[in-house]
Amino acid sequence: MFIRTKGFSLIELIIVIVIIGVLAVAALPRLLDTVSAAKKSAIEAVAGGFATGVTSARAQWEAQARPSITINGEKYNTVNYDGVDFWLTRAKSANGNSTGFQDGYPIAVNSDNISYPNSLTDQICIQLMENLLHNAPSVAQVSELGEEVKFSAQASDSDNSCTYTQREGNTNHKFVYQISTGKVNVTIN
């Protein structure tokens, strides 16, 4: 006695392939939009956390009655925020001239209480991100990017800003920290 086995006919296979193709065409754009939206949300979340760190450091400085250190006759603002000492911006120099900054925003990590930064560098921007954020994403200078680096940091001494560009997924979403005013602005590309 012979047992007949039955498989799928060619027409049934073609119908299944067409149905899968239609579903893929309908679902793929939604999936791509979801990935793009996730990247946008990620940059906005990091920028929001950074802005919160900036504001919290300034609030800590205000709560401690605006602590400062005097070095060679110049008064420099500083604060210990969450276990890290920061140099903060100052509005006036010792002779009363405007510095172009508002008081009390993080400008650099204070590692020794004597080396207030005279210029802004990429390394200063990296240290700001690493120390103002809890569980900061990996960040490096543009020239040192590797696959594990999520953000690049670039300083602009001319406009006193740090620009952080999202590297993950080849996006160029970024946020800019304006040190003179403490503002954090996000740009979605």
Side-chain angles (χ1 to χ4, degrees):
M1 183 168 171
F2 292 103
I3 300 175
R4 288 186 112 178
T5 58
K6 202 171 183 184
F8 292 107
S9 71
L10 184 59
I11 292 175
E12 291 170 327
L13 287 174
I14 290 173
I15 290 172
V16 168
I17 290 171
V18 168
I19 291 172
I20 290 173
V22 168
L23 290 174
V25 167
L28 189 60
R30 287 186 180 162
L31 177 64
L32 293 177
D33 285 345
T34 303
V35 170
S36 177
K39 290 176 186 173
K40 289 176 186 176
S41 294
I43 187 76
E44 289 170 346
V46 172
F50 190 92
T52 299
V54 167
T55 304
S56 296
R58 186 175 196 290
Q60 182 72 27
W61 178 68
E62 292 284 359
Q64 292 178 357
R66 297 181 165 214
S68 62
I69 296 172
T70 302
I71 304 169
N72 298 326
E74 288 285 341
K75 186 170 134 182
Y76 298 99
N77 298 325
T78 187
V79 71
N80 182 299
Y81 169 65
D82 205 27
V84 178
D85 290 324
F86 287 95
W87 290 114
L88 304 177
T89 55
R90 60 194 182 123
K92 296 195 183 265
S93 63
N95 61 9
N97 291 335
S98 173
T99 61
F101 293 90
Q102 293 179 5
D103 273 330
Y105 294 106
I107 192 168
V109 171
N110 176 357
S111 58
D112 59 10
N113 282 340
I114 57 172
S115 302
Y116 190 84
N118 293 325
S119 62
L120 192 60
T121 66
D122 293 348
Q123 190 58 40
I124 287 174
C125 292
I126 290 169
Q127 289 176 343
L128 283 172
M129 184 169 197
E130 290 174 341
N131 290 287
L132 285 170
L133 286 172
H134 290 284
N135 301 317
S138 55
V139 60
Q141 297 177 28
V142 174
S143 61
E144 298 175 355
L145 294 179
E147 286 188 26
E148 73 286 350
V149 175
K150 306 290 186 218
F151 285 85
S152 65
Q154 192 166 17
S156 174
D157 207 29
S158 62
D159 69 352
N160 299 306
S161 67
C162 292
T163 300
Y164 300 97
T165 305
Q166 185 181 37
R167 307 310 304 171
E168 194 172 28
N170 296 322
T171 69
N172 281 317
H173 304 320
K174 62 181 80 173
F175 69 93
V176 177
Y177 170 42
Q178 295 291 334
I179 295 172
S180 57
T181 61
K183 294 187 190 256
V184 176
N185 299 311
V186 179
T187 303
I188 304 294
N189 291 326

